[in-house]
Amino acid sequence: MLDAPKITPIAQVKGLRVEFQTKDGPVVGVEDVSFDINPGETVCVVGESGSGKSVSSLSLMRLVEYGGGTIAGGQLLFDGREGGQIDLATTDQSKMRHIRGNEIGMIFQEPMTALNPVFTVGRQLTEGLRIHKSMTKAQAEARALELLKEVRIPEAERRLQQYPHELSGGMRQRVVIAMALACEPRLLIADEPTTALDVTIQAEILALMDRLKRETGTAVMFITHDMAVVAQMADRVVVMFRGNKVEEGTVEQIFENPQHAYTKALLAAVPKLGEMTGKAYPEPMKLLGQEGKEIKPIKGTDEVLLTVKNLTTRFPVTGGFFRRHIANVHAVEDISFTINKGQTLSLVGESGCGKSTAGRSILRLVEPNSGQIDLGGKDIMALNQRDLRTARLDMQMIFQDPFASLNPQMQLSDQVAEPIHNFATLKGDAVAKRVEMLFDRVELPRSFMRRFPHELSGGQRQRVAIARALALNPKLIIADEAVSALDVSVQAQVLNLMMELQAEMELSFLFISHDMAVVERVSHYVGVMYLGRIVEIGPRAAVFENPQHAYTQALMKAVPIADPRKRKDESELNFKPIPSPIHPVSYKPQPTVWKQITPGHEILMTDSGY
C-alpha cells in the first residue's frame, strides 16, 4: 500500500518547528519533525512525556497557540473534503473552526478536562452535530444515542441525561471518543486515549477505533507511550525523543529491528505478558544501561502480616423528595485475603470493580460496613480515631495521581518530612538526615529537596510520593494505580525501585492495578475483582498460567501484547455489559462459595454476574 504512488496522504507534517515563550526565552517543543498519514492508516507517535508528541498533534489542530506555543516553521498540509490541499499552519482560525471536529477529530488524554462539567453528556454530543451537520435537535439526539451504543456505554439513554462527574473515567473517555467520531472526520487524532482505561475497555476501544478506521477510511494519528498498544494498532510508527523524530518505520521493523538507541531502551522497558512464566517469585526488570546489576528474585516470608475477612463496603444512594436512603452501591462485597510480610498481593479488575475502595477500606479512609482487618495482630476495625491514627504508622498509601496527592505550595523536603513531624518519630537534625536518605533511596538528587511539585515530571513526583510513604518505615504500602500514569521507561524504574525497597525493608504491598503485564512482574499473589467481589485468587503463576474463572480468562485475552504479530481480533473480545452495582436497600447478596483448584488457588462459585 505504501509504495503505490497514487495515494495522496491525508496529512503531511513537513519540517514542523514549535516554540514556546517563557520567562527564560523561547523553548523549542518540536524541533524539526516530518511524517505523512495516509487514508485508512494508523500512524503511532511514541516517546515519553516531553518528547513533543502532543505538541505535534495540537499543531495539526492549531490548538497549540492556545497553550502559548507558536508554529515557528514548517508546513502542515491537509487534504480536505472540499478537495485541494491546504496548509493548516497558515489557515486563519475561523476556517480552522470548521475543520476542527468536522474534518479533524481529536480525542484528548484527560477526559475530565475535555468535557464541560456544566452540560449534560447529551448536550455536548449533539452540539457538534448541530453546528457541523445542520441536524435538528431530534436527529442529533438520535445520532448521539447511536454513537454511545457504538462505543459500548451501558444504559446509553440514561447517560445522555447525566453530567460528566457522574461517569467513571472509562465511560468519560468513551464519551470523548464518541464526540470525536460524531462528524465522521477524515483524520482522527488520538492523544493517549486509553492511558486511564482498564484492559478490557482499552481492548474494546482499540478494536472499535480499528473497525471504524477500516469502515470509514479515516486516517488515525495515535499518540501513546504504551508499546503494547502500538503493537496492536499501528501500521507505521514514528519515535520521538526531545522534540525530534529519531526513527520511523513499519510496526514490524520498529519492534523486530529497532535501530536507534532510544527505541531499543523504550522496548527493553516494556513488561511483556508471559515473561514471568516458570518463575516462582517476582524479580526486577533488566533495563538497558544496568546490565551489571544482579537481579534477585523477591521471596518474602511465610509470616502473615495482613488478614482481611468478609470485608464489605457499601455507599448509600439517596433519592426522592426527602433525600431518603433508597439503595446501596455494593462497592466491595464480602472479600477475604491475606498478605505475607515482604510479599505483594495485586488486586486487578476494571474501573468500578471496587479495587480502590478495598484499598481505602483497609486503611479506613472509607469506613467499611462490616468485616475484619488484622494488621500485625492489631484489629483495625475496633480502633477509635486516636488509635487508628497511631496504627497508620504501619500502613501508608501511594495514590494514582502524584500531582493531586502533593501540596503545590510546599517544598518537597517538607512534604516528605511532614509524616515524621506529624507522628514525632524523629526530632531535630535526625529529620533532615532521614529526608536526605529517603531522596537518595528513591534516586532523586538532593537538590530537588528545595523544589516544588510543578517543577518535576510525573515520574519524579511519583518518586516523591514513594519517599513520603516510606518516611515512617511502614510495614504495608497500598499502591493504588501507582505507575499507571507514567511513561514506560519511568514506570520500569519506579517498579524496580519498589521491588528493591521491598526486598531490603521486607515491605508488604497491596498493589492495585489494571495493567496485567505489570501485575505479572511484581506479584506473589493475585486477586481478580469483578463487581465488588474477588472472583479468583491464588499464587501469581496459578492465576496467570491457569486462569479458571470466565472473567479472568476474558481479562487475559484482552491484554495487548507488545508484539505486532500477536494482534487481538475483535471477535476474540466478547465482553458482557457490566451490570449495575446499585441494589435496593432490601437486596440480600448471595453468600460467598469458593471452589479450590489447587492449594491456595480458588475461584468464586457464587454467581458474580459474569
Side-chain angles (χ1 to χ4, degrees), residues 260-572:
H260 195 275
Y262 174 69
T263 315
K264 290 177 184 170
L266 203 58
L267 288 165
V270 180
K272 294 182 188 67
L273 197 66
E275 273 185 327
M276 300 297 288
T277 304
K279 294 180 179 176
Y281 300 108
E283 53 184 56
M285 294 174 71
K286 293 185 177 72
L287 297 180
L288 280 186
Q290 298 185 353
E291 279 81 1
K293 245 188 180 180
E294 191 190 347
I295 302 266
K296 289 182 186 156
I298 299 157
K299 287 186 181 170
T301 67
D302 295 331
E303 184 189 334
V304 174
L305 174 74
L306 176 76
T307 305
V308 174
K309 268 190 189 155
N310 312 111
L311 183 68
T312 299
T313 304
R314 296 172 189 160
F315 299 113
V317 177
T318 55
F321 189 66
F322 295 109
R323 313 294 297 152
R324 279 207 298 268
H325 181 189
I326 54 167
N328 287 310
V329 178
H330 289 245
V332 174
E333 195 58 60
D334 195 19
I335 67 169
S336 306
F337 56 82
T338 59
I339 302 180
N340 287 356
K341 200 173 171 187
Q343 292 197 345
T344 300
L345 167 79
S346 291
L347 286 182
V348 296
E350 47 202 299
S351 54
C353 73
K355 51 190 192 301
S356 291
T357 305
R360 286 161 192 252
S361 300
I362 288 164
L363 290 175
R364 276 181 59 193
L365 294 173
V366 170
E367 280 296 336
N369 291 52
S370 60
Q372 291 171 281
I373 303 164
D374 182 293
L375 181 76
K378 247 186 221 147
D379 182 356
I380 301 296
M381 289 291 280
L383 301 178
N384 60 27
Q385 282 302 317
R386 196 185 72 229
D387 294 341
L388 177 61
R389 187 174 180 272
T390 313
R392 286 196 181 134
L393 274 163
D394 289 336
M395 44 186 189
Q396 290 290 309
M397 191 152 188
I398 303 168
F399 294 94
Q400 176 168 3
D401 180 357
F403 199 67
S405 67
L406 294 172
N407 185 331
Q409 295 172 319
M410 279 171 75
Q411 286 190 349
L412 298 173
S413 56
D414 295 337
Q415 304 209 38
V416 172
E418 193 177 20
I420 302 171
H421 292 309
N422 280 350
F423 287 93
T425 52
L426 296 169
K427 296 271 193 305
D429 289 348
V431 178
K433 284 200 174 74
R434 174 93 181 138
V435 171
E436 283 177 356
M437 186 278 286
L438 287 164
F439 269 77
D440 294 345
R441 287 302 351 234
V442 296
E443 294 170 19
L444 284 175
R446 289 186 182 183
S447 60
F448 276 31
M449 287 165 64
R450 290 183 299 283
R451 290 195 184 182
F452 291 89
H454 70 270
E455 299 177 84
L456 270 60
S457 72
Q460 289 166 336
R461 284 200 287 265
Q462 199 56 294
R463 285 165 190 250
V464 174
I466 292 172
R468 186 179 58 183
L470 293 171
L472 297 170
N473 264 340
K475 295 173 183 164
L476 171 72
I477 291 184
I478 296 176
D480 186 1
E481 301 276 11
V483 294
S484 63
L486 305 181
D487 299 318
V488 202
S489 45
V490 180
Q491 171 182 288
Q493 291 161 10
V494 170
L495 286 174
N496 277 7
L497 168 72
M498 286 166 77
M499 287 195 263
E500 282 157 21
L501 292 168
Q502 178 175 41
E504 212 170 287
M505 300 160 77
E506 285 204 330
L507 283 171
S508 299
F509 281 107
L510 176 64
F511 194 86
I512 297 165
S513 179
H514 60 246
D515 187 329
M516 301 299 277
V518 166
V519 165
E520 186 188 34
R521 169 64 62 179
V522 302
S523 312
H524 294 82
Y525 289 86
V526 177
V528 180
M529 281 189 79
Y530 179 74
L531 262 190
R533 288 185 182 266
I534 290 180
V535 294
E536 183 160 359
I537 192 164
R540 187 255 316 147
V543 175
F544 272 79
E545 291 163 35
N546 185 22
Q548 293 291 311
H549 195 277
Y551 177 69
T552 314
Q553 292 167 350
L555 205 56
M556 296 298 183
K557 262 201 186 128
V559 182
I561 297 170
D563 181 344
R565 300 195 188 278
K566 291 183 183 167
R567 289 194 173 181
K568 307 280 183 209
D569 188 45
E570 196 173 7
S571 59
E572 290 176 50

Side-chain angles (χ1 to χ4, degrees), residues 211-282:
R211 189 182 79 233
L212 294 167
K213 176 193 82 171
R214 286 197 309 275
E215 287 172 3
T216 60
T218 303
V220 181
M221 174 179 173
F222 200 103
I223 296 161
T224 183
H225 60 244
D226 185 334
M227 297 306 282
V229 169
V230 174
Q232 177 69 21
M233 293 292 288
D235 297 308
R236 273 186 307 122
V237 182
V238 172
V239 183
M240 287 186 71
F241 181 60
R242 293 190 183 158
N244 286 294
K245 177 175 87 173
V246 293
E247 191 164 350
E248 180 180 358
T250 65
V251 64
E252 289 84 10
Q253 286 167 343
I254 296 291
F255 274 83
E256 288 161 18
N257 190 18
Q259 297 300 306
H260 195 275
Y262 174 69
T263 315
K264 290 177 184 170
L266 203 58
L267 288 165
V270 180
K272 294 182 188 67
L273 197 66
E275 273 185 327
M276 300 297 288
T277 304
K279 294 180 179 176
Y281 300 108

Side-chain angles (χ1 to χ4, degrees), residues 537 548 593-598 601-606:
I537 192 164
Q548 293 291 311
V593 181
W594 290 97
K595 176 187 174 189
Q596 187 173 357
I597 307 296
T598 53
H601 182 195
E602 297 180 315
I603 62 167
L604 184 70
M605 296 306 288
T606 309

Side-chain angles (χ1 to χ4, degrees), residues 1-15:
M1 180 175 157
L2 292 178
D3 40 37
K6 296 183 289 298
I7 289 175
T8 309
I10 281 183
Q12 291 169 278
V13 177
K14 292 188 170 181

Side-chain angles (χ1 to χ4, degrees), residues 112-160:
M112 200 57 211
T113 50
L115 293 170
N116 189 329
V118 299
F119 293 130
T120 62
V121 166
R123 164 93 186 260
Q124 296 184 59
L125 266 171
T126 53
E127 189 180 22
L129 292 164
R130 294 181 72 179
I131 291 169
H132 292 304
K133 296 284 184 201
S134 311
M135 288 185 177
T136 63
K137 190 173 181 222
Q139 286 172 325
E141 281 173 357
R143 175 77 178 124
L145 186 61
E146 210 176 282
L147 283 161
L148 286 189
K149 286 179 176 164
E150 260 182 39
V151 294
R152 299 212 32 201
I153 282 191
E155 302 175 63
E157 290 86 353
R158 200 169 120 232
R159 306 293 174 212
L160 288 172

